[in-house]
Amino acid sequence: MKRTALACTILIALHTVLFASAFPPASYSEYTLENGTTVFVLEDFSSATIHIEYAVKAGISSQNKDTTGFFTLYSRLFKYAAPENSAGLPALSAECNADSSRYRMTVSPAQFSSAMTYLSKAAFNPVFTDNSLSAELSSLKAEVQQQAQFPSTFINSGIDSRVFSAAPWKHDSGVYPAIFTRTTVEQARSILRGISQNWYTPQNSAVFITGSIKKQDALKAAKETFGAYREASFSEHIIPVKAGGEKHKFVLVSKDFSSEITQAVVQFTSLSMTQCDISAAAYNADGSSVKKLLLKQRNLAIRDGEYIHAAAAHKSGSSRLIFQTIMEKPVNKKVTLADQAELLISKIKEGVKNTGSDEYAAAKKTLSESFSAVTSNPVSYMDYLSQFWATEQLNGNGTQGSTLLSERMENRPRDVTAEKIRSIQQPVDSEQPFVFILLNDDIYRKNRQSFKKLGYEEITVKNSAWYTREFSSAEEEPADGQDYEAEEEQPDFISRNRNSIKTFTLENGIPVTVKNTSSTSNVLILAAIDGGTLYSPRTNGFEKVMTNAFASNVQKEINKYRINQVLESEPEVLSETFASYSAITVECAKEDAAICLKCISDALIFGEIAPAEADSYVYTVQTQKRLYNASAVNQLYHRAVRFLYEDEAYRAAFDSENDILQDTQYADILAAYPQFLDASLYSLVIVGNIDEDYLKEPLKNTFGLLSKKKEGGVLHLPKTPDFPENRSISVKLRHLFYTDVKAEDAGPMPAILVPTTNFSDPVQYWLKAPSPDSSDAVLFDALVWRLSEILEENADSVCSGIKIAPRTCEVQGAAVTFLTADRNSKVFELFEKSAAELLERLSGSSAEEEVQAVKNSWILNTLQKTAENRGTAILIRNGGKNPAQYLDDYQTVMQASEEEYRLCAEAFIPKTAPLRLYSADAKK
């Protein structure tokens, strides 16, 4: 097991004269501001820059059951917390560790004052906008969902939840998906506010400054920024988490484990931090007494010393000495795997007893040398000082010997030197360690009785983590789109969500879909305007200009009510144009829903567009199009569409060659805006904690006032692509490079230009999709997403990543793009291998497991956004006349048999993609 970053904290204790010899005492000072913030300054005028770190004693160990994951979310949002002060500053490095969160930045002396203002505001007066909170929350939700599927998550959560059974949520593996993923943006903000008020306090905070600045100047800046905030009336503190539990012996069982070997993890928890690090260094050394003894045991069947590893881990005031090894089957067939595990424990203890004083002396020397190396410069010195500051109290080091933190840190080698051999060996000899044996499920079934007889408890995926055990008996309903126990919960998910969808039609023919989502306090209104990039009669890009103008007018109407303080919330207005429609979305508090409907209606009926506004809308869309054209991926996609479709509307919609809106006049925009006053263009989707009956009257008085100018709205006639059997196309890509540096600031052109044709361009493969009316269509989608995962697994150095453009109603094909691919032939081999592997998995003994992986992939990539009102609304709108289409698709995906998936893969996932596009500059 790898030692974590904080596990290295002990190294701080192992150099006795560093402060005196490396850094003159006059260059270093420690201060405590009036509000309790501690400031550490180390002058270093050999450096041209200044390194600043803000650290707070708030990390993963601060979590409780209901806040798992939110301290990590907080650290990700920190960089956004003072947006008005971050302009022009370098990127901020943020990390959330077990016992602290750390935020670091290296700046020039001229940036120092601004950086201190930015960090102090982010620390003590944070502002988390809806956009940043929603984006980071969604990102972290997706990561939690993905990590829940990894074998490493099963192993870590299974171990941590037993070793730290009193509070397993205070560890990295303790994120509870069933709670975390159903949290709305508003609930998340409330939790984050509590973290800010109770944990990110001056008393819990420290600032570390080193570089080209005088101590007096650093202190002055600290007082004016971090010292400008009051001391918190209440401040939480991390409570050390101690190991414990009635059971100490376990077997982790999984199909993913090899049937040829047995992995073992043995953890001792009674040693101190110093004892753990000395022990780990001694026992892990090549030729140590422990390794020699273990390798002699024929029935342990350990091949080599490299298969034995000893390490120390320190978190939340708890230290562990951890042994890991890999064993093969015992030589003596009468020795069971359970007997082998017991033999391992006894021989580890015997090896510890046999370890001599020379081995411990060598270990102490190794630790001292390591500490000297990592604290050889001011930045790394302050880095370790920060870690020591965060963990000193938790690990019981106290404040003995000196009032200066730096001296206490440097004086700790005396503890290492004074440590007696017997004080290390005796706890190991008397302790009943935690033992975890990792076995393949087939192997375990054959040895179950022998393990039970010796007191081992079985751990599976279903009971591994604390949250899976609680979730199985929890009464809360899972959030939309979550599928933790698919077989049991899937029907309930479908029926519950289907029952929450209501539809009705206004008198003017506008269809309305309302989905009641009780888990959120907000309401999202989506006004869909028929047409989009594909079916709009106007020039490419014009529909985006008009949609942006419409959204801007909605925002103006909302601002009128905000100025008069009528609204309960700050509604968020967004616009987006898809292939077949454009969408205006407004998300607000449910109390403001009627007012926001009126704002949309008034913007539509009374909205005006000034000439300067029209110019800005056109310029924005033109800029977006130029960036779109510059993408090599988009250029390949456009070339594929030109090959597959003869229809000019398709070719124009996905064009990546031409500039747009060159001849657009202000009069064109003024003339087009009234065309929005046509009921036949609209459909409405409303998602949130609101009843459809409440909405009928406001809808009647807003969108109900529109008249229908033509029957049928915009005609949608999706074309069928003409896929080849086997075709490669070479595309001459345009390599365009953009910069945000203004022309006047760019300076002269270089005297010599060095031409190159060595571009690592993308490669794009297209797969023909089934008919959209076929049940195979959604199975195809799921298989493509799963194929992308297998491609990623097999990619190695062939490409930097895989990007999927999934099948849509308008484009009946899926594009698989290999980013920055080096050689076309390697991409061809990668796809051939991965497609064959997918079919093999679906056809072999692991078919059941692979089908579940296909389902999981579809859920994560398609239903991930159902936790948000906007994502759900777009899914409903994309269903067209069937607002529950995404639920029907979900049911199809979950209920399809192994044979149906296999047959679909055989028909639509060939080993050779029918259409392949390469860069003309790429290597063969």
Side-chain angles (χ1 to χ4, degrees), residues 589-652:
K590 64 179 180 180
E591 295 83 1
D592 297 333
I595 295 176
C596 286
L597 280 169
K598 187 176 189 306
C599 289
I600 300 172
S601 175
D602 287 352
L604 188 58
I605 298 171
F606 306 112
E608 297 180 349
I609 304 172
E613 291 175 324
D615 287 343
S616 70
Y617 302 146
V618 171
Y619 178 77
T620 297
V621 174
Q622 287 177 325
T623 301
Q624 292 171 348
K625 181 59 162 60
R626 292 187 183 111
L627 293 174
Y628 179 91
N629 291 350
S631 166
V633 175
N634 294 335
Q635 292 175 44
L636 291 176
Y637 196 95
H638 174 222
R639 183 64 184 85
V641 169
R642 282 173 50 199
F643 180 85
L644 295 171
Y645 295 94
E646 294 184 359
D647 189 277
E648 287 302 321
Y650 272 80
R651 296 183 173 191

Side-chain angles (χ1 to χ4, degrees), residues 455-621:
Y456 284 80
E457 182 178 292
E458 179 183 353
I459 300 176
T460 65
V461 172
K462 291 185 177 180
N463 71 344
S464 62
W466 71 274
Y467 53 79
T468 55
R469 296 198 303 275
E470 285 211 351
F471 186 57
S472 64
S473 60
E475 294 182 0
E476 297 94 349
E477 294 179 339
D480 292 358
Q482 309 310 317
D483 183 47
Y484 297 103
E485 296 292 339
E487 291 79 9
E488 296 177 6
E489 297 183 13
Q490 174 261 331
D492 183 49
F493 168 85
I494 293 173
S495 61
R496 184 172 64 250
N497 284 277
R498 199 186 297 279
N499 291 338
S500 69
I501 296 175
K502 307 295 181 184
T503 61
F504 57 92
T505 304
L506 301 181
E507 290 183 3
N508 57 5
I510 295 178
V512 180
T513 301
V514 179
K515 184 180 187 299
N516 185 281
T517 305
S518 59
S519 59
T520 176
S521 59
N522 274 10
V523 171
L524 181 128
I525 303 165
L526 183 151
I529 309 164
D530 216 0
T533 58
L534 187 56
Y535 301 116
S536 293
R538 292 279 184 168
T539 308
N540 185 11
F542 192 80
E543 72 290 338
K544 293 184 180 180
V545 171
M546 300 310 302
T547 304
N548 291 348
F550 188 179
S552 179
N553 282 340
V554 173
Q555 187 66 65
K556 291 177 190 175
E557 295 297 325
I558 288 174
N559 289 343
K560 294 177 184 178
Y561 286 93
R562 288 184 60 201
I563 291 172
N564 295 325
Q565 298 183 343
V566 175
L567 297 173
E568 296 290 331
S569 61
E570 183 178 341
E572 180 183 48
V573 182
L574 298 174
S575 65
E576 188 170 1
T577 300
F578 302 94
S580 61
Y581 69 96
S582 296
I584 305 291
T585 61
V586 179
E587 188 155 19
C588 60
K590 64 179 180 180
E591 295 83 1
D592 297 333
I595 295 176
C596 286
L597 280 169
K598 187 176 189 306
C599 289
I600 300 172
S601 175
D602 287 352
L604 188 58
I605 298 171
F606 306 112
E608 297 180 349
I609 304 172
E613 291 175 324
D615 287 343
S616 70
Y617 302 146
V618 171
Y619 178 77
T620 297
V621 174

Side-chain angles (χ1 to χ4, degrees), residues 237-444:
H237 298 285
I238 294 176
I239 300 174
V241 178
K242 298 301 181 183
E246 296 180 0
K247 297 282 188 177
H248 279 244
K249 296 193 292 187
F250 306 90
V251 183
L252 280 78
V253 183
S254 173
K255 293 179 182 178
D256 295 325
F257 299 155
S258 171
S259 59
E260 301 299 321
I261 60 174
T262 299
Q263 300 178 65
V265 180
V266 181
Q267 300 193 9
F268 294 88
T269 61
S270 59
L271 297 171
S272 69
M273 174 186 276
T274 303
Q275 291 169 340
C276 274
D277 276 358
I278 295 173
S279 299
Y283 308 149
N284 199 52
D286 292 338
S288 70
S289 296
V290 173
K291 287 190 175 182
K292 285 181 180 178
L293 183 61
L294 295 180
L295 291 173
K296 284 182 180 179
Q297 310 307 310
R298 296 176 68 242
N299 286 323
L300 289 182
I302 302 173
R303 287 192 177 186
D304 188 82
E306 293 182 358
Y307 291 87
I308 305 169
H309 187 68
H314 314 292
K315 288 183 181 180
S316 310
S318 176
S319 294
R320 288 176 285 168
L321 172 63
I322 303 172
F323 290 90
Q324 284 193 116
T325 189
I326 295 176
M327 304 178 291
E328 298 179 355
K329 294 179 181 179
V331 175
N332 187 341
K333 294 183 179 180
K334 294 182 179 180
V335 176
T336 67
L337 295 184
D339 295 331
Q340 185 185 50
E342 293 297 298
L343 178 64
L344 174 66
I345 300 167
S346 66
K347 291 305 175 182
I348 287 176
K349 289 190 173 186
E350 185 178 337
V352 170
K353 280 185 180 181
N354 295 341
T355 301
S357 58
D358 57 335
E359 292 182 63
Y360 287 111
K364 293 176 183 180
K365 185 174 182 293
T366 298
L367 292 174
S368 180
E369 291 171 348
S370 299
F371 176 73
S372 298
V374 298
T375 57
S376 59
N377 67 74
V379 172
S380 60
Y381 181 87
M382 295 293 269
D383 177 69
Y384 273 87
L385 187 66
S386 170
Q387 295 185 52
F388 183 81
W389 168 83
T391 60
E392 183 187 30
Q393 297 294 331
L394 291 174
N395 291 302
N397 299 319
T399 57
Q400 301 173 357
S402 175
T403 57
L404 288 178
L405 181 74
S406 59
E407 292 182 5
R408 296 199 301 274
M409 178 185 76
E410 293 167 0
N411 287 339
R412 288 194 55 218
R414 292 177 300 187
D415 297 336
V416 175
T417 303
E419 196 70 52
K420 305 293 185 187
I421 295 176
R422 183 59 185 160
S423 69
I424 297 174
Q425 294 175 328
Q426 193 276 331
V428 173
D429 184 50
S430 59
E431 181 181 345
Q432 181 186 359
F434 286 88
V435 183
F436 300 89
I437 307 299
L438 283 63
L439 285 180
N440 174 270
D441 54 357
D442 290 333
I443 301 299
Y444 176 69

Side-chain angles (χ1 to χ4, degrees), residues 108 177 215 467 506 672 760:
S108 68
K215 293 186 296 182
Y467 53 79
L506 301 181
S760 293

Side-chain angles (χ1 to χ4, degrees), residues 68-106:
T68 55
F70 284 92
F71 283 81
T72 299
L73 177 62
Y74 196 107
S75 68
R76 294 190 180 192
L77 287 165
F78 190 93
K79 62 185 176 183
Y80 305 114
E84 71 277 10
N85 301 104
S86 61
L89 292 174
L92 179 74
S93 169
E95 61 183 52
C96 182
N97 299 311
D99 306 308
S100 68
S101 293
R102 306 175 65 192
Y103 307 95
R104 287 169 283 187
M105 180 181 288
T106 300

